[in-house]
Amino acid sequence: MEANTRSTGRLPAAFLTPGSSSFVDFLSEHQPELLPGGRNLPPIQGVIEAPHGTTIIAVTFPGGVVLAGDRRATMGNLIAQRDMEKVFPADEYSAVGIAGSAGPAVEMVKLFQLELEHFEKVEGTRLSLEGKANRLSTMIRSNLGMAMQGLAVVPLFAGYDVDREKGRIFSYDVTGGRSEERGYAATGSGSLFARGSMKKLFHEDLTEQQATTLVVQALYDAADDDSATGGPDVARRIYPIVTVITDDGFRRLTEAESSEIARSILERRMEQPDGPRAALL
């Protein structure tokens, strides 16, 4: 299916055949071995020791949604990477955070970004947020064979719905099952602790600043109880990735903004290590 580079300048028939506007469907029909789920893996015994990404969380607020993740990747009981990128823009109005096997997860995100860009170029319009969530669900489902061999990918998808004029969050399981979450959501090894923290601090009238503070606070609480989740690392200047999606589009907080939030939480924790956490908002 490679493009013809000879003097004729003609593209192969695969590129000229009518089909759907999905790039994944195009590859599935013409070269399925290029898709992550289309590869034949050798027989595997035991658990694969590969880097895993951990805690991703999202919170809605009037006017948008915040998606954030810690920076630690683990391999068994070892820290494989301290500054991993786990939150990526999917397009102008959506983002995806990855948990699970780091390699397949990053590859899936890149394919998802290409899928949305391809659709927009072919159709001349963007997919709805619901449509984007469905496309990601299909991609996760196609990865089920790898997931059964220990290379599972469980992302969290969030975006601003321009039709409904609000932020929305979608969570997934390894089979591609999709659920829309209300208010807040978390995935990864520290999700239980992060969800408990958000349950106490969340309310419907959060400002954008309060929402960004809440997600960093929840990641701090998750790191407090989950060894695979990395909290703010002041010594190495490694702070959580925090992104905000509103009607103005996707925006990632700068390192200075993230560090300021993290430092304010750490300072208040030192003043009141066992005090009420609601005051942090």
Side-chain angles (χ1 to χ4, degrees), residues 213 216-217 220 232 234 239 258-276 279-280:
T213 302
V216 177
Q217 170 68 53
Y220 190 105
V234 178
Y239 303 98
S258 297
S259 65
E260 183 179 352
I261 296 172
R263 288 176 183 275
S264 67
I265 292 174
L266 291 173
E267 289 173 1
R268 297 187 188 186
R269 278 290 186 100
M270 292 178 68
E271 294 174 0
Q272 291 183 305
D274 298 314
L280 291 171

Side-chain angles (χ1 to χ4, degrees), residues 73 90 123:
E123 297 292 337

Side-chain angles (χ1 to χ4, degrees), residues 67-192:
L67 182 65
D70 77 311
R71 307 293 296 275
R72 179 175 293 177
T74 58
M75 191 163 59
N77 65 322
L78 302 177
I79 297 176
Q81 187 175 349
R82 300 180 187 275
D83 59 350
M84 180 181 173
E85 300 274 338
K86 301 181 187 178
V87 180
F88 305 88
D91 65 359
E92 185 180 358
Y93 290 102
S94 61
V96 57
I98 57 173
S101 298
V106 172
E107 189 175 31
M108 183 178 293
V109 168
K110 291 180 178 178
L111 185 59
F112 183 52
Q113 292 170 330
L114 182 58
E115 171 82 349
L116 299 185
E117 184 178 352
H118 184 265
F119 179 91
E120 186 174 343
K121 287 181 177 180
V122 172
E123 297 292 337
T125 186
R126 291 191 188 92
L127 266 173
S128 66
L129 192 66
E130 196 91 21
K132 297 171 192 176
N134 289 337
R135 290 291 175 97
L136 184 56
S137 178
T138 301
M139 294 174 66
I140 297 170
R141 189 177 302 114
S142 69
N143 191 61
L144 183 59
M146 296 178 69
M148 297 299 289
Q149 297 194 53
L151 298 175
V153 178
V154 188
L156 197 61
F157 178 66
Y160 181 80
D161 192 325
V162 294
D163 297 321
R164 300 189 185 185
E165 298 183 343
K166 67 175 185 177
R168 300 172 67 187
I169 304 169
F170 298 90
S171 63
Y172 301 86
D173 58 38
V174 293
T175 66
R178 192 207 76 178
S179 301
E180 182 170 0
E181 306 289 346
R182 305 295 180 184
Y184 57 88
T187 188
S189 63
S191 60
L192 177 64

